[in-house]
């Protein structure tokens, strides 16, 4: 049987048991709160793991036609679409594959309303329910790049702009204002949403509360979330509630395992160069930015060796630092960059032609399976 420490680096590894643990919790919340929780592929779309996910959740949200197709083909349940802007080329395909379609602006709804009506008239067995994304202008996210509720945001219609009533035919409201947030953050957003849009709720069939509900993070108050959702449902019993988290599905379910390939020192700064790249394989570390945990590192203390880690691309900024280790790092040392199974493989690039880390699944029984290995052909086929 293959062992993790014998596999050549770099590779992402996904743990089936950790994934099932998250999925069980999500299913429990879904059942206890009486809501639908669907999977957002923006955070993770490793479809070869979908046979595991399907045991718990089959519905998904799509923000592109590719996500829509993948949801239908590989998860098999209903697809709920939200795209910042539909076009005449895409709208019919969205209608043909979606259960709900959320428009980002009143303009968009008006532009495509006749396509929607035509579709629904000619497909009585698969009608699509239209919704509008609203912006409750309640900002609970510290990282601006992930904050859809900043002043001037392009996402969703504000209460002022809506002018007190819903466009005729709109059946649902959608808001997305969270990112790696708590149930208490949701409570604040929900209060703002109800203050601004509550008068419209008697005429809506569904409310989609977007993503960002990090219910699988240690310390998340799951019972409070269930209570909050049940209270909402008690106030509006005719409304179906949908949550569409991404990160919560794959939070802490996998790592990126790399090796040190060189150690350089300039101006007193020691950099261990690894056989992966922050820019290409862990883009959030630079975009947010944040410093990922490394299993082999230790807290700074006397006698410990501290290093910046550098990616193997030519981008000057492709580094993060600093971490300390008990012993000096040497070529061949393996480093485990933790929690790299959300917003990673969906965002990676082949910049510099750097080889993409393989993707490995560690089954619950400890056996290892390559989900994907990358080759020169993958790089070449993206170019023309
Ligand atoms: C509209 C929408 N729904 C769902 C999500 C998923 O959010 P998360 O992965 O933070 O749960 C996002 C993330 O950007 C989003 O924009």
């Amino acid at each position: 049987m293959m062992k993790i420490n014998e596999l050549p680096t770099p590779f992402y590894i996904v743990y089936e048991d950790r994934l099932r643990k998250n999925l069980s919790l999500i299913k429990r919340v879904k059942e206890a709160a009486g809501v639908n929780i669907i999977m957002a592929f923006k955070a993770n779309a490793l479809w070869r793991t979908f046979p595991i996910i399907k045991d718990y959740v089959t519905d998904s949200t799509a923000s592109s036609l590719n996500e829509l197709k993948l949801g239908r083909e590989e998860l098999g349940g209903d697809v709920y679409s939200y795209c910042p802007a539909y076009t005449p080329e895409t709208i019919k395909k969205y209608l043909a594959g979606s259960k709900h379609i959320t428009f980002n602006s009143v303009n968009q709804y008006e532009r495509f309303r006749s396509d929607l009506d035509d579709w629904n008239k000619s497909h009585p067995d698969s009608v699509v329910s239209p919704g509008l994304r609203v912006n409750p202008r309640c900002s609970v996210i510290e990282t601006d790049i992930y904050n859809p509720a900043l002043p001037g945001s392009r996402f969703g219609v504000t209460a002022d702009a809506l002018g007190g009533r819903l466009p005729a035919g709109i059946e649902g409201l959608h808001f997305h204002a969270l990112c790696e947030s708590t149930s208490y953050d949701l409570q604040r957003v929900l209060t703002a949403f109800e203050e601004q849009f509550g008068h419209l709720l008697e005429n809506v069939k569904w409310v989609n509360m977007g993503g960002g509900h990090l219910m699988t993070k240690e310390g998340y108050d799951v019972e409070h979330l269930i209570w909050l959702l049940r209270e909402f449902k008690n106030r509006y019993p005719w409304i179906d509630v949908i949550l569409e988290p991404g990160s919560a599905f794959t939070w802490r379910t996998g790592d990126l395992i790399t090796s040190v390939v060189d150690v350089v020192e300039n101006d007193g700064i020691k950099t261990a160069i690894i056989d992966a790249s922050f820019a290409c394989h862990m883009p959030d570390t630079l975009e947010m930015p944040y410093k990922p945990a490394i299993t082999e590192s230790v807290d700074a203390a006397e006698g410990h060796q501290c290093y910046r880690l550098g990616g193997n691309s030519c981008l000057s900024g492709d580094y993060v630092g600093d971490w300390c280790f008990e012993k000096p790092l040497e070529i061949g040392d393996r480093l485990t960059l933790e929690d790299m199974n959300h917003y990673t493989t969906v965002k990676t690039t082949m910049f510099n032609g750097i080889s993409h880390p393989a993707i490995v699944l560690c089954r619950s029984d400890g056996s290892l399976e390559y989900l994907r290995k990358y080759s020169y052909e993958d790089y070449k086929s993206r170019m023309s």
Side-chain angles (χ1 to χ4, degrees):
M1 194 152 99
M2 286 191 289
K3 292 202 180 107
I4 294 175
N5 58 11
E6 289 167 5
L7 299 182
T9 62
F11 59 94
Y12 293 98
I13 184 160
V14 181
Y15 294 93
E16 179 180 0
D17 55 352
R18 299 190 201 172
L19 194 54
R20 285 196 186 275
K21 196 169 159 225
N22 283 358
L23 290 161
S24 307
L25 185 142
I26 289 169
K27 193 171 174 205
R28 178 166 82 76
V29 174
K30 177 177 146 158
E31 288 170 358
V35 301
N36 195 7
I37 306 187
I38 66 179
M39 180 178 176
F41 291 170
K42 340 173 150 61
N44 180 292
L46 289 182
W47 54 272
R48 287 181 214 269
T49 65
F50 287 5
I52 300 169
I53 292 170
K54 266 186 195 175
D55 287 345
Y56 308 82
V57 167
T58 57
D59 295 350
S60 57
T61 172
S63 51
S64 63
L65 288 177
N66 287 334
E67 287 184 348
L68 183 145
K69 196 162 181 226
L70 193 68
R72 292 184 64 98
E73 276 179 14
E74 300 293 337
L75 259 195
D78 290 326
V79 179
Y80 296 66
S81 294
Y82 160 74
C83 169
Y86 303 98
T87 66
E89 290 73 39
T90 60
I91 188 71
K92 289 194 177 60
K93 289 184 182 153
Y94 275 105
L95 292 170
S98 309
K99 179 176 166 113
H100 288 180
I101 187 161
T102 298
F103 294 91
N104 188 53
S105 68
V106 175
N107 264 352
Q108 275 263 305
Y109 175 56
E110 284 170 353
R111 184 169 181 207
F112 296 115
R113 185 158 178 204
S114 59
D115 294 280
L116 174 85
D117 291 343
D118 289 349
W119 172 270
N120 283 347
K121 260 183 229 135
S122 51
H123 297 84
D125 295 333
S126 51
V127 291
V128 184
S129 177
L132 192 63
R133 178 161 173 176
V134 294
N135 188 329
R137 285 175 135 160
C138 175
S139 201
V140 292
I141 303 172
E142 278 163 20
T143 311
D144 283 358
I145 189 178
Y146 290 131
N147 192 345
L150 282 180
S153 162
R154 69 187 186 286
F155 294 131
V157 187
T158 59
D160 308 347
L162 204 52
R165 57 176 195 88
L166 279 181
I170 285 291
E171 297 183 343
L173 292 182
H174 177 296
F175 66 83
H176 168 73
L178 302 176
C179 175
E180 298 189 1
S181 304
T182 66
S183 58
Y184 300 93
D185 293 327
L186 173 62
Q187 192 166 22
R188 277 171 59 198
V189 172
L190 212 45
T191 304
F193 169 74
E194 286 184 69
E195 271 166 19
Q196 297 164 44
F197 301 97
H199 59 289
L200 304 173
L201 293 179
E202 62 179 354
N203 296 317
V204 309
K205 295 183 179 165
W206 53 266
V207 169
N208 184 323
M209 300 185 185
H213 316 272
L214 200 47
M215 59 190 87
T216 49
K217 184 179 178 181
E218 212 182 319
Y220 186 102
D221 193 342
V222 176
E223 300 315 315
H224 177 252
L225 173 67
I226 295 170
W227 170 83
L228 194 61
L229 295 171
R230 288 181 72 94
E231 285 294 301
F232 184 85
K233 286 193 63 94
N234 285 343
R235 288 196 291 287
Y236 312 101
W238 62 92
I239 290 182
D240 288 331
V241 174
I242 303 120
L243 266 56
E244 48 175 36
S247 291
F249 280 81
T250 45
W251 180 258
R252 295 203 65 81
T253 55
D255 305 319
L256 173 60
I257 303 192
T258 66
S259 296
V260 174
V261 285
D262 196 11
V263 179
V264 296
E265 181 166 352
N266 281 322
D267 304 320
I269 292 176
K270 273 193 261 181
T271 303
I273 299 180
I274 55 173
D275 57 2
S277 155
F278 292 99
C280 304
H281 310 137
M282 302 167 268
D284 270 358
T285 60
L286 301 181
E287 283 177 17
M288 250 179 126
Y290 82 97
K291 184 180 158 200
I294 295 186
T295 314
E296 295 77 9
S297 70
V298 292
D299 289 340
E302 193 137 341
H304 288 166
Q305 311 287 322
C306 292
Y307 297 83
R308 186 183 267 188
L309 292 192
N312 60 349
S313 81
C314 296
L315 175 74
S316 308
D318 187 0
Y319 70 84
V320 178
D322 298 291
W323 289 269
C324 295
F325 299 88
E326 273 175 356
K327 288 197 222 133
L329 287 180
E330 286 180 13
I331 292 173
D333 283 350
R334 289 162 85 101
L335 299 176
T336 307
L337 290 124
E338 295 180 8
D339 195 19
M340 288 296 166
N341 196 30
H342 54 99
Y343 293 101
T344 48
T345 45
V346 280
K347 291 180 89 178
T348 50
T349 73
M350 287 195 162
F351 169 60
N352 267 196
I354 295 175
S355 153
H356 193 289
I359 303 171
V360 173
L361 175 65
C362 178
R363 290 273 176 201
S364 300
D365 65 4
S367 62
L368 300 173
E369 228 172 84
Y370 273 105
L371 298 184
R372 181 80 194 262
K373 281 181 182 171
Y374 293 83
S375 67
Y376 168 64
E377 290 311 319
D378 293 301
Y379 171 63
K380 191 176 176 191
S381 65
R382 292 188 70 241
M383 307 298 149
S384 61

